[in-house]
Amino acid sequence: MLGEVQERIRSFMDQVGNPNVSHLFSQVVCGKMLRSKLILAICPHHPKVIDLCAVIEMIQSASLLHDDVIDESETRRGQSSLNAVFGNKNSIMLGDVFYSKAFFELTKIDDRVARCISNAVVELSRGEIDDVFMGESFNSDKEKYFQMLRDKTASLIAASAESAAILSGLDSAKYRDYGLNLGIAFQIVDDLLDVTQDERILGKPVMNDFKEGKSTLPYILLYEALGEDQRKILISYFREDKIDAQKWFKEHFYKYNIIPLVIAEARKYGNLAIASIKDQNNRLLEEVVESMIYREF
Ligand code: FPP
Ligand code: MG
């Protein structure tokens, strides 16, 4: 069914009726479609399910196009980012086409779903703004980090699960909680992979987050474990591209046992996600959590 979702996105983009848009769109690399997998696992037989998935994936793509411009990222999903090849202007405008067309289609689905998704886009934009502000100096406040992550990443995942539950007449609050906790776990795993994986698997430069100005959980937990002098060294690497940084962080993450701590945190949220829908008898949703969290890092 994921193939049908891709087809629907293509057809929506064809309806825009512009060869430049079609050309730029043909260069966008498809992701794992996590949000569609959740929707398909919750309301697989609803007549609007493919449209809902397509709308969510288009909003997700729009946000990543804009994010790569904001982060000045050269790569996305192992390939050159659209902004690196076609420039910032085209990336922003293709993002705007994705976003506007998605909202046009969203209004045809269901009013409650339209409110849920549009509110999530406010939250994810708010999260991205916080992320930019937090990039100005190292942030050691865990609560601030979690709030930003809830907004930036978890809100659209939560809205996807909630919307699918609304369409199915299920208890939408439970599915929203599931999505929120899954989204937090997902971003923690993503932040962890940035420090544990190599570039080939990751599809982007390794330990890139800290250089980009993102104080993610591994760095916050390390900061908490360090003494005053070492904290100064950690902060001196923030937003810098120093050659010895990678080695220093690897050694200190190991010395202070940071990786297992971060995995435990991701599992905590993964378990909360599973607990939210425990009485819903949906094995597929539990498997999504397990496949994401219980793996090698
Ligand atoms: C990736 O974060 C970015 C997001 C999850 C959301 C970005 C949201 C916006 C730019 C707002 C979009 C607004 C509209 C209207 C579409 P990251 O940089 O931490 O992750 P990455 O490593 O995948 O780039
Ligand atoms: Mg980014």
Side-chain angles (χ1 to χ4, degrees):
M1 276 177 111
L2 290 178
E4 278 182 64
V5 176
Q6 284 166 352
E7 257 324 299
R8 190 65 47 91
I9 298 171
R10 196 182 324 278
S11 135
F12 285 161
M13 293 304 272
D14 282 347
Q15 289 167 20
V16 175
N18 179 289
N20 293 327
V21 168
S22 299
H23 179 58
L24 290 171
F25 168 63
S26 71
Q27 306 300 309
V28 174
V29 182
C30 191
K32 294 182 290 289
M33 302 177 84
L34 166 71
R35 294 152 193 80
S36 291
K37 285 179 190 154
L38 298 186
I39 294 167
L40 290 166
I42 299 169
C43 62
H45 305 301
H46 193 278
K48 298 275 177 66
V49 66
I50 302 296
D51 283 353
L52 177 61
C53 292
V55 159
I56 297 276
E57 295 300 337
M58 287 162 77
I59 293 172
Q60 170 66 4
S61 293
S63 74
L64 294 180
L65 286 169
H66 288 184
D67 178 70
D68 282 343
V69 172
I70 292 166
D71 288 343
E72 299 175 23
S73 296
E74 297 279 317
T75 51
R76 168 68 60 191
R77 294 169 183 148
Q79 300 199 20
S80 294
S81 59
L82 203 83
N83 48 307
V85 181
F86 296 96
N88 287 347
K89 293 179 187 176
N90 285 316
S91 278
I92 291 170
M93 292 317 300
L94 184 67
D96 288 347
V97 172
F98 266 134
Y99 174 65
S100 318
K101 180 63 177 159
F103 267 84
F104 181 76
E105 297 302 329
L106 178 60
T107 58
K108 301 181 197 166
I109 297 177
D110 180 291
D111 281 358
R112 293 161 304 167
V113 169
R115 278 195 293 276
C116 171
I117 309 275
S118 46
N119 189 49
V121 179
V122 174
E123 288 173 338
L124 75 100
S125 305
R126 186 174 76 186
E128 184 80 351
I129 290 175
D130 284 349
D131 199 17
V132 171
F133 271 87
M134 283 161 70
E136 283 168 11
S137 59
F138 176 68
N139 166 60
S140 60
D141 183 340
K142 225 188 295 175
E143 244 336 286
K144 233 167 126 183
Y145 164 79
F146 275 110
Q147 183 52 48
M148 183 275 292
L149 188 153
R150 233 174 241 123
D151 279 348
K152 191 183 73 169
T153 308
S155 62
L156 193 59
I157 298 177
S160 304
E162 185 182 354
S163 297
I166 291 172
L167 290 183
S168 279
L170 297 166
D171 185 338
S172 59
K174 289 183 179 170
Y175 289 84
R176 176 170 183 80
D177 271 357
Y178 165 85
L180 211 52
N181 287 307
L182 174 73
I184 295 171
F186 176 81
Q187 189 63 50
I188 294 174
V189 169
D190 205 57
D191 292 348
L192 185 59
L193 292 176
D194 182 78
V195 304
T196 57
Q197 294 279 45
D198 68 45
E199 184 161 347
R200 198 171 33 84
I201 301 174
L202 208 55
K204 58 183 178 183
V206 75
M207 286 201 190
N208 198 43
D209 284 344
F210 210 59
K211 277 182 270 178
E212 264 189 3
K214 295 182 200 292
S215 318
T216 61
L217 195 59
Y219 297 95
I220 296 175
L221 293 180
L222 178 61
Y223 180 86
E224 286 179 353
L226 293 175
E228 233 7 86
D229 289 349
Q230 302 273 314
R231 284 181 174 181
K232 283 190 190 131
I233 300 177
L234 181 148
I235 289 172
S236 76
Y237 288 131
F238 189 66
R239 295 189 74 111
E240 299 289 335
D241 197 3
K242 294 185 182 162
I243 24 167
D244 54 341
Q246 212 162 306
K247 188 164 165 276
W248 189 89
F249 278 117
K250 275 209 180 329
E251 274 170 21
H252 287 78
F253 283 145
Y254 181 74
K255 184 172 172 194
Y256 292 97
N257 219 20
I258 299 301
I259 308 304
L261 283 178
V262 179
I263 295 174
E265 197 75 15
R267 288 193 173 152
K268 183 179 102 185
Y269 284 99
N271 290 335
L272 284 172
I274 292 175
S276 314
I277 45 128
K278 201 172 59 270
D279 59 357
Q280 298 294 298
N281 265 328
N282 193 325
R283 187 68 203 125
L284 277 177
L285 290 185
E286 292 178 16
E287 278 169 15
V288 169
V289 178
E290 284 156 9
S291 65
M292 201 186 66
I293 314 262
Y294 299 98
R295 56 176 167 172
E296 293 298 317
F297 286 96

